[in-house]
Amino acid sequence: MTQRLPRLDNSTARRLFLHAHGLLVRPSGPATRADIARAVDALGFVQVDSINTVARAHDHILWARLPRLKQDQLLTLCAPRDRALFEGWTHDAALIPSRFFPIWRHKHAADHAALLSRWKSWGRDGFEAELDAVRARLTRDGALSAGDLTDGAAQHSGGWWDWKPTKTALEYLWRSGELGICHRRGFKKYYDLIERIIPPEYLNARVERDEALDWCARAALDRLGFGTASELSAFWDIFKKSELAAWAAQTPNGLAEVEITGADGSVSKTLIHADWETRVAHLPGPSQRVRILSPFDPALRDRTRAARLFGFDYRIEVFVPEAKRTYGYYVFPVMEGTRLIGRIDAKADRAAGVLRVLGYWPEPRAPLGTGRAGRLADALTKLAQFSGTPNIACAAHPNTAILRENPAFMAAI
């Protein structure tokens, strides 16, 4: 007879998951260099994104855990004077602790072959002829942007599909580990030879493939609380799902299997640390603190997992009368303790110094009572200050009526 696996109820699973992401404890800390480095290390990496509707995604993610963080402070840890972080690739561009660089050599090796084949099939012809010229120019002149390499000629007018050969060559050499992103100016990337960027103790270190795979799986589990082989593979996106599945099938030391209860009552099997009961017993208690998160926050970026665990999707669909059609787009998830209680849409009008609230959609069974309205207003006020737009205005739109008609909210902002 097969023994039934232990089962975590949904509330406990959410607490364990959010604690692993640094979202269960009260955010604190002066946001010193050491605080920021520890926060990124605890998360594993922070996705870099140019979208700046309220703040850049990487800043917003760290600010949710270090409320005294200033915008652009995170990027200083990648600058030549520091190098605690490097900019690499997970599922997207990300800031990663430099001490993880030996692990990333395995991703560079995989991307070296995969991207060559994939980009050529996508019509990226011509970039291979630029590789030697790009290497030579950077060797001679040091850190340069894509524009510098073409004497200011435009390299792209759209997304990656519109890259010209030199820009494609730069990205290829970066993704395959020959180049690194030395720094950013504004948000423009400057590339240089990787040996000029990564500190020698990490550049010269090597980790065998089996050891690297084991590290990736366990380090992902540390940062998720629990996870399937597929989720562990997707976390760093270095090794294939099949490789992680084979690793998990061996029942590695220190790990166990449990069942996790989803928000809808469904049950799924997952890997967890063998001492999970002790970890659960020491979890902080839930709070009523409200946080406004980035849609790119690592706790919620996986929409499928967020829907399974929290019963929540931060993508909304809005009908635009002028266009006579419905558009889907991402808004900011609003969390209270371990619950996702709503979604808010806002945009920083920096010229006017105003954070403009464009809509609020509460979740079912999360009414905007007096206490919750005040806590939401407090979180929004903090976000407005962080974005450099300290004044808050609710747009005259049906999607904001729930806020504009709430006396407690309007009094608090």
Side-chain angles (χ1 to χ4, degrees):
M1 180 176 178
T2 304
Q3 185 175 3
R4 179 177 172 177
L5 294 174
R7 181 175 297 178
L8 272 70
D9 62 83
N10 183 248
S11 176
T12 301
R14 283 187 276 117
R15 287 173 60 212
L16 185 60
F17 182 79
L18 292 173
H19 187 58
H21 287 84
L23 290 174
L24 198 59
V25 297
R26 182 179 181 84
S28 61
T32 64
R33 175 209 171 278
D35 292 325
I36 297 170
R38 278 194 295 269
V40 177
D41 197 289
L43 290 172
F45 62 89
V46 175
Q47 181 176 339
V48 182
D49 200 279
S50 61
I51 294 174
N52 199 14
T53 305
V54 171
R56 299 204 191 275
H58 46 279
D59 289 328
H60 192 157
I61 290 167
L62 263 292
W63 171 79
R65 293 150 176 89
L66 295 171
R68 292 168 65 181
L69 183 83
K70 305 299 181 186
Q71 291 199 53
D72 297 325
Q73 193 177 352
L74 175 60
L75 289 177
T76 63
L77 274 71
C78 303
R81 288 178 295 178
D82 197 309
R83 299 300 190 209
L85 308 176
F86 75 99
E87 191 166 333
W89 195 268
T90 54
H91 66 287
D92 210 327
L95 300 176
I96 305 163
S98 292
R99 71 184 186 90
F100 296 172
F101 184 79
I103 302 293
W104 250 255
R105 288 191 176 278
H106 296 280
K107 184 166 184 62
H108 295 153
D111 284 351
H112 179 82
L115 292 179
L116 188 63
S117 172
R118 189 185 311 157
W119 285 3
K120 287 174 69 175
S121 71
W122 289 350
R124 303 258 54 86
D125 295 331
F127 79 90
E128 291 175 274
E130 300 292 326
L131 295 178
D132 286 342
V134 168
R135 292 185 186 103
R137 181 75 185 275
L138 288 170
T139 300
R140 187 188 72 199
D141 297 340
L144 296 170
S145 68
D148 293 331
L149 282 161
T150 55
D151 298 320
Q155 277 295 298
H156 63 96
S157 58
W160 61 264
W161 55 87
D162 200 31
W163 287 349
K164 300 301 187 290
T166 299
K167 170 66 173 176
T168 306
L170 273 171
E171 292 291 316
Y172 176 76
L173 291 170
W174 170 53
R175 291 280 300 272
S176 58
E178 287 191 55
L179 304 182
I181 294 173
C182 178
H183 61 276
R184 287 179 181 259
R185 189 169 298 157
F187 208 67
K188 181 189 292 186
K189 293 184 288 190
Y190 285 77
Y191 302 80
D192 203 349
L193 303 179
I194 195 67
E195 56 265 30
R196 295 173 179 166
I197 295 174
I198 301 299
E201 62 269 31
Y202 307 127
L203 179 72
N204 298 324
R206 296 293 185 273
V207 178
E208 294 298 325
R209 185 177 179 82
D210 287 348
E211 182 183 350
L213 190 149
D214 185 78
W215 181 92
C216 282
R218 294 178 185 276
L221 193 63
D222 288 341
R223 291 162 175 83
L224 291 172
F226 50 83
T228 64
S230 178
E231 289 169 339
L232 299 184
S233 171
F235 186 86
W236 305 107
D237 195 26
I238 295 177
F239 295 98
K240 296 177 181 178
K241 294 179 183 179
S242 58
E243 294 178 280
L244 268 295
W247 176 88
Q250 300 172 10
T251 314
N253 290 334
L255 272 65
E257 286 187 325
V258 297
E259 293 179 339
I260 298 291
T261 307
D264 62 356
S266 61
V267 175
S268 57
K269 187 169 67 173
T270 187
L271 288 169
I272 199 168
H273 290 289
D275 63 348
W276 64 269
E277 291 176 295
T278 300
R279 295 176 185 239
V280 166
H282 288 89
L283 287 174
S287 74
Q288 291 185 309
R289 185 181 184 90
V290 170
R291 306 182 201 233
I292 300 173
L293 301 179
S294 164
F296 298 99
D297 195 283
L300 303 174
R301 182 182 55 245
D302 184 331
R303 291 175 58 206
T304 300
R305 183 170 55 212
R308 184 175 70 246
L309 194 56
F310 297 97
F312 181 90
D313 188 351
Y314 48 81
R315 186 177 185 270
I316 65 168
E317 293 188 347
V318 176
F319 179 74
V320 179
E322 297 83 358
K324 297 181 181 180
R325 61 176 294 186
T326 297
Y327 289 89
Y329 66 106
Y330 297 108
V331 292
F332 299 101
V334 181
M335 176 170 286
E336 182 183 71
T338 63
R339 297 178 60 198
L340 285 156
I341 61 168
R343 296 164 287 179
I344 196 164
D345 189 16
K347 184 175 183 178
D349 182 345
R350 294 182 173 84
V354 175
L355 182 66
R356 302 196 183 279
V357 180
L358 308 176
Y360 180 70
W361 298 265
E363 286 296 288
R365 299 182 297 280
L368 200 61
T370 300
R372 180 170 288 149
R375 292 189 293 272
L376 174 60
D378 180 64
L380 194 62
T381 298
K382 290 181 170 64
L383 180 62
Q385 293 168 345
F386 173 63
S387 71
T389 52
N391 300 303
I392 300 172
C394 289
H397 191 280
N399 291 332
T400 65
I402 190 172
L403 300 179
R404 289 183 287 107
E405 296 171 6
N406 188 299
F409 178 82
M410 296 304 293
I413 63 169

